[in-house]
């Protein structure tokens, strides 16, 4: 008997009609010889709306909350109404939706009363997106005659640490719990519909896995259940040579090794959560990215040993937005050992992840790329702990930048790739702000002004003729 985990992203479940389509797609595969575990995202755009309402709640905007409550309930009720025919099933789902939206309202009011939004309460608010989508999807499966049960990530057995917002997976306990909770359901022929993105601490507090985390939930389930494959259904044909929204001629990459695909996701191929491939890679479970609106398309297969080298070695070019650069400088830093280590240590203690580093040849400054949302915290931490000490004279932030990453395993040791990249960029008159000391040799990444980002990506896509591959 085969076991497949299928994850459906926000656009795949954006409306009642889409959810009905998704349910039929599941029904095409689920049966005696193939057990399916479903992971779902929140309806398209809902997580963003929850982030916003949490902020508004902190400002005690009770009118905004009331309005939001009505809108979010109406949207989900209408999706359920559109997708479910059976009266009893529909009523059951409606009850769950109403109860959960009431619960959300209580949480938002609570945030208003204390005028405080902690990372923990924020995760609780964000969890409602998936907590509202899963019951609908499960209801539609029942409606078309399948056995199904909806569960939160925590109920399915996914356990994390308490790093709210970007919680760390505890894989051993998760494996044990997931097997215990999900295998009996599969034996009975039921299709579990699990909320992506959200999990729980060992004390039962709700956590989230970071934006785009439903992909991660899918591979966690796949690894824990030793699935045959994990299928990530999305709104494009697969992982592509670039974001088709930036480069309309981008092509789907049919096969990729785990290592390459991981680089691609870390460097902004938004189609996937950056850590999503870890569990699959560890357990050697193939991952397919497929288009929910074109199920005949084979999509992208990510697995071991697909180091298909192309002539130039370059396979894709991506754009990472929402980043910022901090430059730490001081003439006295030249030859002073350990300055970089101190900077990393200070930021590490604040849980600020460094995406890229570069040091000037003269050693008089170090530039770091971090997530833009962490910029203020990073700068104030560096100011408090380092400014004026250890020869550090200046800490300068820049937030109008982006990272362009050029990726491909075949680039390893191939001379001339970097010069072609930077010549192509220079020809467009674009100034490169900073180049990373790439460690993996699977990518060359650099910083340009935010306004130059898309043009840079297109220039490189063209230089390496990625649309012809
Ligand atoms: P989902 O809701 O299914 O999780 P996402 O919006 O998270 O989907 O990711 C899919 C989107 O990622 C696509 O619509 C596409 O615009 C964008 N994207 C960015 N880079 C790439 C790439 N290299 N390949 C495919 N899609 C990409
Ligand atoms: N709903 C979450 C988000 O928007 C998780 C996901 O869609 O993967 O980030
Ligand atoms: Mg996503």
């Amino acid at each position: 008997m085969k076991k497949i985990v299928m994850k459906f992203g926000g656009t795949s479940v954006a409306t009642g009609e889409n959810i009905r389509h998704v349910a039929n797609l599941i029904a095409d595969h689920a049966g005696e010889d193939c057990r399916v575990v479903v992971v779902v995202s929140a309806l398209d755009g809902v997580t963003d709306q929850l982030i916003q309402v949490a902020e508004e709640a902190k400002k005690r905007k009770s009118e905004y909350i009331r309005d939001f409550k009505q809108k979010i309930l109406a949207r989900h009720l209408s999706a359920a109404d559109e997708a479910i025919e059976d009266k009893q099933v529909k009523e059951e789902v409606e009850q769950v939706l109403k109860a959960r939206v009431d619960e959300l309202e209580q949480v938002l009011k609570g945030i208003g009363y204390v005028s405080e939004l902690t990372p923990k309460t924020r995760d609780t608010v964000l969890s409602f997106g998936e907590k509202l989508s899963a019951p609908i999807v499960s209801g539609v499966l029942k409606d078309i005659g399948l056995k199904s049960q909806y569960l939160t990530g925590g109920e399915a057995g996914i356990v994390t640490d308490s790093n709210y917002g970007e919680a760390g997976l505890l894989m051993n306990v998760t494996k044990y719990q997931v097997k215990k909770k999900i295998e009996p359901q599969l034996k009975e022929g039921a299709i579990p519909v699990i909320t992506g993105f959200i999990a729980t601490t060992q004390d039962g507090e709700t956590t989230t896995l970071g934006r785009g985390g439903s992909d991660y939930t899918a591979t966690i389930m796949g690894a824990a259940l030793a699935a045959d494959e994990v299928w990530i259904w999305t709104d494009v044909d697969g992982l592509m040579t670039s974001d088709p929204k930036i480069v309309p001629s981008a092509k789907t990459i049919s096969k990729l090794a785990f290592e390459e695909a991981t680089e691609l996701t870390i460097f902004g191929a938004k189609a996937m959560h950056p850590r999503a491939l870890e569990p699959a890679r560890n357990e050697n479970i193939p991952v397919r990215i497929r288009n929910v609106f074109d199920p005949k398309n084979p999509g992208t297969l990510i697995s071991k040993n697909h180091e298909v080298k192309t002539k130039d070695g370059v396979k894709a070019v991506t754009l990472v937005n929402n980043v910022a650069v901090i430059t730490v400088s001081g003439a006295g830093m030249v030859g002073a050992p350990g300055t970089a280590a101190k900077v990393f240590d200070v930021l590490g203690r604040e849980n600020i992840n460094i995406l890229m580093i570069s040091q000037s040849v003269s050693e008089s400054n170090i530039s770091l790329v971090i997530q833009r949302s962490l910029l203020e915290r990073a700068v104030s931490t560096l100011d408090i702990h380092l400014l004026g000490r250890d020869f550090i004279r200046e800490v300068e932030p820049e937030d109008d930048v982006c990272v362009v990453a050029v990726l491909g395993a075949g680039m390893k040791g191939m001379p001339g790739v970097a010069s072609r990249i930077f010549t192509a960029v220079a020809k467009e008159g674009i100034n490169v702000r900073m180049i990373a000391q790439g460690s993996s040799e699977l990518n060359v990444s650099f910083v340009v002004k935010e306004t130059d980002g898309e043009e840079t990506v297109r220039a490189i896509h063209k230089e390496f003729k990625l649309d012809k591959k």
Side-chain angles (χ1 to χ4, degrees), residues 7 9-11 234-236 238-240 242-243 245 264 269-271:
K7 175 258 172 177
T11 32
T234 183
D235 61 347
V236 287
L239 280 181
M240 307 179 78
S242 192
D243 186 343
K245 283 167 195 145
L264 232 129
K270 180 168 141 310

Side-chain angles (χ1 to χ4, degrees), residues 280-354:
R281 183 178 170 180
N282 291 344
E283 304 288 329
N284 195 15
I285 298 168
V287 176
R288 283 180 203 278
I289 322 259
R290 308 185 57 177
N291 191 339
V292 77
F293 304 113
D294 184 13
K296 289 209 172 64
N297 193 312
T300 299
L301 171 64
I302 303 165
S303 61
K304 236 180 168 174
N305 297 330
H306 281 300
E307 265 194 57
V308 201
K309 291 199 178 168
T310 52
K311 205 165 129 265
D312 296 310
V314 170
K315 281 205 176 152
V317 49
T318 64
L319 182 64
V320 192
N321 280 312
N322 302 317
V323 292
V325 171
I326 299 179
T327 304
V328 178
S329 53
M333 278 164 59
V334 180
T339 317
K342 269 174 205 145
V343 172
F344 304 153
D345 179 52
V346 164
L347 295 177
R349 271 188 269 143
E350 279 286 314
N351 259 327
I352 294 167
N353 192 19
I354 300 169

Side-chain angles (χ1 to χ4, degrees), residues 69 72-74 76-77 90-108 124 127-128 131-133 135-136 150:
K69 180 191 171 183
I72 197 158
L73 183 60
H76 287 85
L77 287 178
K90 196 187 287 192
E91 265 171 24
E92 275 167 24
V93 172
E94 280 171 3
Q95 290 315 313
V96 178
L97 296 178
K98 282 180 187 153
R100 290 196 166 171
V101 170
D102 282 342
E103 200 188 321
L104 170 62
E105 186 187 25
Q106 294 309 316
V107 177
L108 293 171
T124 301
S127 73
F128 279 91
K131 271 159 86 177
L132 291 170
S133 66
I136 307 179
Y150 59 88

Side-chain angles (χ1 to χ4, degrees), residues 118-189:
T118 63
K120 182 175 160 189
T121 17
R122 193 167 177 274
D123 271 4
T124 301
V125 173
L126 295 199
S127 73
F128 279 91
E130 275 73 7
K131 271 159 86 177
L132 291 170
S133 66
I136 307 179
V137 175
S138 180
V140 183
L141 289 173
K142 280 190 202 153
D143 194 48
I144 60 173
L146 299 169
K147 221 173 167 181
S148 175
Q149 167 99 54
Y150 59 88
L151 304 117
T152 62
E155 286 162 352
I158 302 179
V159 184
T160 66
D161 61 18
S162 55
N163 184 21
Y164 296 101
E166 196 86 38
L169 176 68
L170 304 180
M171 191 57 188
N172 290 326
V173 55
T174 295
K175 245 188 201 169
Y176 172 76
Q177 298 265 13
V178 167
K179 270 198 207 133
K180 204 168 82 180
K181 291 176 174 169
I182 302 300
E183 272 174 356
Q185 289 203 24
L186 297 182
K187 279 208 185 86
E188 281 176 23

